[in-house]
Amino acid sequence: MDVAQLEYEMKRKKVSKGDMCKKLGISRSAFYRKCNGRSEFTQSEIQKIATILELKDLAPIFFNEKVS
């Protein structure tokens, strides 16, 4: 996951981390765990984030794992 890209998109849409947590229905600690890779966003959470931030392409944020 590319946290910097997610934060960029949130700032672009003027959505704070607190606002995002409320809209997703999760706690701040859960949001931070998911952003830091200790937990994963569910499919429905990813869909909500895409809707909230009006994202067309989710791959740069959620599916950027490098494969070697």
Side-chain angles (χ1 to χ4, degrees):
M1 176 172 175
D2 187 343
V3 178
Q5 184 67 31
L6 176 60
E7 290 177 350
Y8 168 79
E9 294 295 342
M10 289 171 63
K11 285 179 185 176
R12 189 175 65 82
K13 287 295 184 177
K14 296 180 173 68
V15 176
S16 71
K17 290 177 184 174
D19 290 340
M20 184 63 77
C21 293
K22 287 178 189 173
K23 292 178 182 195
L24 294 176
I26 62 176
S27 68
R28 281 179 158 257
S29 60
F31 183 76
Y32 284 104
R33 279 193 306 272
K34 291 171 190 247
C35 287
N36 292 321
R38 290 188 294 242
S39 181
E40 293 184 3
F41 284 99
T42 65
Q43 183 176 355
S44 64
E45 290 168 343
I46 291 171
Q47 289 173 333
K48 285 180 188 178
I49 290 170
T51 300
I52 293 164
L53 299 179
E54 299 174 2
L55 299 174
K56 303 266 188 265
D57 185 11
L58 300 173
I61 295 174
F62 295 102
F63 308 106
N64 71 338
E65 295 294 321
K66 293 182 181 178
V67 179
S68 49

